Amino acid sequence: MPKHGISPTRTEDYPEWYQQVVRAAELAESSPVRGCMVIKPHGFALWERMQAILDGMFKATGHKNAYFPLFIPLSYLEQEAKHVEGFAKECAVVTHHRLELDADGRLVPKGKLEEPLVVRPTSETIIGAMYAKWVQSWRDLPILINQWANVVRWEMRPRVFLRTAEFLWQEGHTAHATEAEALQETLQMLDIYATFAEHDLAIPVWKGPKPASERFPGAVETYSIEAMMQDGKALQAGTSHFLGQNFAKAQNISFTDKTSKEEYCWTTSWGVSTRLIGGLIMTHADDDGLVLPPRIAPEQIVLLPIYRTDEDKNAVMKCCQEMRDLIEENQWRDEKIRVRIDDRDMRGGDKAWQHIKQGVPVRVEIGPRDIANGTVSIARRDEPPKQKHAMSLTEFPKSAAELLESIQSNLLKKAVAFRESHSSKIDSKDEIPAFFDASQQDMPGFAYVHVADDPAVAKALDPLKVTVRCTPMEWEEEPGKCLFTGKTVSRRSVISRSY
RNA sequence: CGGGGCGUAGCUCAGCCUGGUAGAGCGCUUGGUUUGGGACCAAGAGGUCGCAUGUUCGAAUCAUGUCGCCCCGACCA
């Protein structure tokens, strides 16, 4: 019997461990199409949870959902110079609209399109084109629209959930009358992402502007939330872009203001993707498989009936059903607690391990002996698999919400502690190579340093495979000199390796 | 697109060097023994050995080509 649910372990081979967790938890599989994944029901359930929570937050801040086409006319992409430059390399292009059988009986593309269509890598241009029509007066503003969609970016090196050719995301696109309002929107959405990451996914993040070199093509400023994975690398978990008037000017999104003057809009865009599932795995999963924060877990509590005889089965099942009903009467964080009785006909050990690998936060075993004693056996996914707590049968349903809260906060606390123990403030250029040298330091993480937004910084960090992730806004101002250019900057930035 | 590795049963792989007609473990099905735990015994199902061409009496094995996957770089949510 292997010691762990997942082989290899994180320390043995992190990338392989990641793939094995995805497989063991039945989240996704690779597909016949290179770079594309099949998201399996358990993986998709995580995405649906994310959608539900985020969508609520978007609606609460005045946004509405809409849907724009998958195909973008090639000429649209050309409208914003930097945008083209950034995305041209990774676009899938549709050039034909019909297939015909040739003499050998093979299908060949026919019906060449007058203008090729690009499969959206992002939708700024097509949405902007619509906004240009929709906006005429200052009374039409702001436009606050989000869409849930798939996008395609033809990547060289795909990695399930983290970087796939096709992925699911949401993209918000807003247009405003003033710069201040657009900037405020950009920061508001960044805050929503950060709150969602920490409060719901239990993933601590740093949020702040990124250097010019890491900016979204066509943006004036890109803000991101950055999380640390268990191998010390940073994962950009969400982005919010202040687009200034770049797209408005390129696409003529303009309006007549209160003084009858023609003005360009100020626009924003912001998004998170199925990459978050990868972040969830790499933040919380352990050597036994996935670990889900209760808030995002499709099933928060699983009841495992244990019985041998039919007689026992009847009593145990009845007890489970009562237990489920009692638990469901309780709420946690304004939602009915999600509980399932797993009565599948299979060996108890296999069944329990399946739930461990899939990350179910709480397992409750109920057998004849428990019923006789008036107890249940509780196991938390944030504790080792064999660690179980006996608890009163009648007390448990009442304390379930408390237990979920405890697991949720413990996971965040653990993730914060991990980040803290793998981060250092560094004030000398010479200490940086050693910090990121895996042979000297078993796991390089985040270095908090003073760096200017200057190409020279990226160039200096490049040999170390390190980039400036963002300059956290929540940190106190702490003026200092850039380690590479000597320019004075007002606060520290996060630098690290990244996904 | 450069450098390395690999395609044999659902999964992990052995066999290939030294050609002779396909194996193991896990999983699956059935029966039995078990039962607070990823069990044991027995029987069974399952593979044109990535694909193509060539060499040969004979190719999983040798040669050439081709397709695909994984890892490391360049690119990125």
Side-chain angles (χ1 to χ4, degrees), chain A residues 10 32 74 104 132 143 183 208 220 265 286 317 396 477 497:
Chain A
R10 286 164 291 182
L74 195 56
D104 302 326
I143 296 189
L183 203 49
V220 171
C265 288
D286 62 18
M317 286 310 295
F396 176 68
E477 287 211 9
R497 300 224 167 98

Side-chain angles (χ1 to χ4, degrees), chain A residues 372-408:
Chain A
N373 298 339
T375 60
V376 286
S377 172
I378 312 288
R380 302 166 52 135
R381 188 59 185 86
D382 60 341
E383 291 177 348
K386 305 268 157 150
Q387 196 167 325
K388 294 174 189 176
H389 308 271
M391 204 167 174
S392 150
L393 199 62
T394 50
E395 284 305 308
F396 176 68
K398 290 180 236 165
S399 62
E402 205 178 306
L403 177 61
L404 295 177
E405 186 59 44
S406 155
I407 295 171
Q408 181 82 28

Side-chain angles (χ1 to χ4, degrees), chain A residues 33-337:
Chain A
V33 184
R34 184 188 145 71
C36 294
M37 63 181 163
V38 173
I39 305 177
K40 299 172 82 173
H42 193 231
F44 201 78
L46 299 179
W47 182 236
E48 287 178 310
R49 283 292 303 155
M50 293 179 186
Q51 285 185 303
I53 298 168
L54 283 169
D55 205 61
M57 295 170 98
F58 299 159
K59 302 268 171 67
T61 42
H63 301 86
K64 289 188 171 154
N65 285 331
Y67 188 78
F68 298 85
L70 171 68
F71 300 122
I72 298 177
L74 195 56
S75 57
Y76 280 32
L77 213 65
E78 293 166 345
Q79 288 167 347
E80 212 288 333
K82 293 231 171 67
H83 197 64
V84 193
E85 206 182 297
F87 285 108
K89 291 188 294 288
E90 50 192 41
C91 284
V93 188
V94 178
T95 54
H96 295 74
H97 67 92
R98 195 170 75 233
L99 291 169
E100 278 180 9
L101 284 172
D102 68 3
D104 302 326
R106 319 200 62 138
L107 287 168
V108 290
K110 290 278 155 127
K112 194 169 181 204
L113 296 176
E114 195 108 325
E115 180 181 0
L117 297 169
V118 171
V119 180
R120 65 179 161 223
T122 178
S123 303
E124 273 73 11
T125 56
I126 192 149
I127 293 179
M130 297 312 294
Y131 284 8
K133 288 170 69 176
W134 296 348
V135 180
Q136 279 159 35
S137 147
W138 63 271
R139 290 178 221 270
D140 298 325
L141 295 172
I143 296 189
L144 307 173
I145 287 179
N146 175 65
Q147 83 165 344
W148 292 95
N150 58 339
V151 286
V152 168
R153 295 182 188 176
W154 213 264
E155 295 290 348
M156 291 296 174
R157 257 182 65 194
R159 219 130 134 28
V160 68
F161 288 122
L162 298 174
R163 198 190 300 107
T164 47
E166 180 192 18
F167 57 93
L168 306 184
W169 77 346
Q170 60 63 219
E171 46 179 328
H173 295 269
T174 68
H176 307 264
T178 64
E179 177 176 21
E181 194 184 304
L183 203 49
Q184 193 196 338
E185 166 78 4
T186 308
L187 295 175
Q188 170 185 257
M189 299 324 287
L190 184 71
D191 270 339
I192 283 179
Y193 290 153
T195 302
F196 171 68
E198 300 198 349
H199 185 256
D200 299 303
L201 305 181
I203 299 176
V205 294
W206 295 129
K207 60 173 191 212
K210 294 180 83 74
S213 54
E214 302 276 317
R215 212 172 268 159
F216 174 78
V220 171
E221 191 80 82
T222 285
Y223 298 83
S224 73
I225 54 172
E226 300 282 335
M228 183 190 284
M229 304 294 101
Q230 291 182 76
D231 61 352
K233 287 194 190 173
L235 183 80
Q236 178 173 306
T239 50
S240 187
H241 313 292
F242 173 63
L243 303 175
Q245 293 179 310
N246 291 352
F247 283 86
K249 284 178 178 165
Q251 303 191 276
N252 199 27
I253 311 171
S254 61
F255 66 101
T256 309
D257 73 8
K258 290 178 186 174
T259 64
S260 299
K261 235 174 63 205
E262 187 78 358
E263 294 281 2
Y264 287 113
C265 288
W266 299 81
T267 63
T268 81
S269 69
W270 28 275
V272 298
S273 71
T274 37
R275 172 180 258 203
L276 283 175
I277 297 173
L280 197 61
I281 296 166
M282 289 198 291
T283 302
H284 301 302
D286 62 18
D287 294 337
D288 292 316
L290 189 60
V291 176
L292 292 174
R295 180 75 172 144
I296 216 73
E299 289 164 355
Q300 294 163 323
I301 299 175
V302 62
L303 304 181
L304 302 168
I306 291 159
Y307 52 80
R308 200 151 25 131
T309 64
D310 280 349
E311 194 184 334
D312 284 347
K313 180 175 176 177
N314 289 336
V316 169
M317 286 310 295
K318 185 159 170 276
C319 180
C320 284
Q321 278 152 12
E322 286 167 6
M323 170 79 71
R324 178 190 57 200
D325 294 346
L326 284 171
I327 293 172
E328 284 181 342
E329 280 171 20
N330 292 284
Q331 291 215 330
W332 175 60
R333 294 201 185 177
D334 301 325
E335 288 180 330
K336 193 165 91 172
I337 294 176

